[in-house]
Amino acid sequence: QVQLVESGGGLVQAGDSLRLSCAASGRTVSSYAMGWFRQAPGKEREFVGGISWSGGATDYADSVKGRFTISGDNARNTVYLQMNRLTPEDTAVYSCAARRSSFRDYVSTRSHDYSYWGQGTQVTVSS
């Protein structure tokens, strides 16, 4: 069992940066692939980015490539989402998720592949 808690959301202006954290407890995240998803009002949940359990592979949605970066800190059992050059279109509730995977360098972009979810943190970007 894995418990995930996100933090770091807030209200920022367009062009600003934020770093979201996802702290895991129960099991070490080094054995889980991690993903970040977001859901804006009236829209479906969408994949933002993910990192394989080995840390050797990452994947990002086209809309955030070059602006967002995922990293992991095994010592702190925490995964981060660094978000730069934020735009109003990035406004959403951001959630982290974890899944077991047999493939060390595989990142799933599908939300239903993930077994554990955090409660989410709100990110609001004003223009």
Side-chain angles (χ1 to χ4, degrees), residues 28-121:
T28 173
V29 295
S30 62
S31 60
Y32 286 78
M34 304 296 292
W36 283 96
F37 293 78
R38 68 186 181 186
Q39 187 166 20
K43 295 187 177 181
E44 293 187 355
R45 178 187 287 167
E46 65 173 352
F47 173 77
V48 175
I51 185 167
S52 63
W53 66 258
S54 70
T58 56
D59 195 11
Y60 299 93
D62 288 343
S63 59
V64 307
K65 277 181 182 176
R67 298 189 298 124
F68 290 11
T69 304
I70 291 175
S71 61
D73 184 339
N74 289 340
R76 289 185 169 84
N77 233 20
T78 300
V79 174
Y80 303 100
L81 179 66
Q82 178 66 43
M83 306 186 294
N84 298 328
R85 304 197 308 276
L86 286 161
T87 73
E89 289 69 36
D90 295 316
T91 295
V93 175
Y94 285 72
S95 300
C96 66
R99 66 182 295 266
R100 293 297 301 269
S101 174
S102 300
F103 304 99
R104 59 181 288 117
D105 290 327
Y106 173 68
V107 178
S108 174
T109 64
R110 303 178 302 183
S111 61
H112 65 259
D113 282 343
Y114 291 81
S115 302
Y116 305 100
W117 291 82
Q119 83 289 350
T121 185

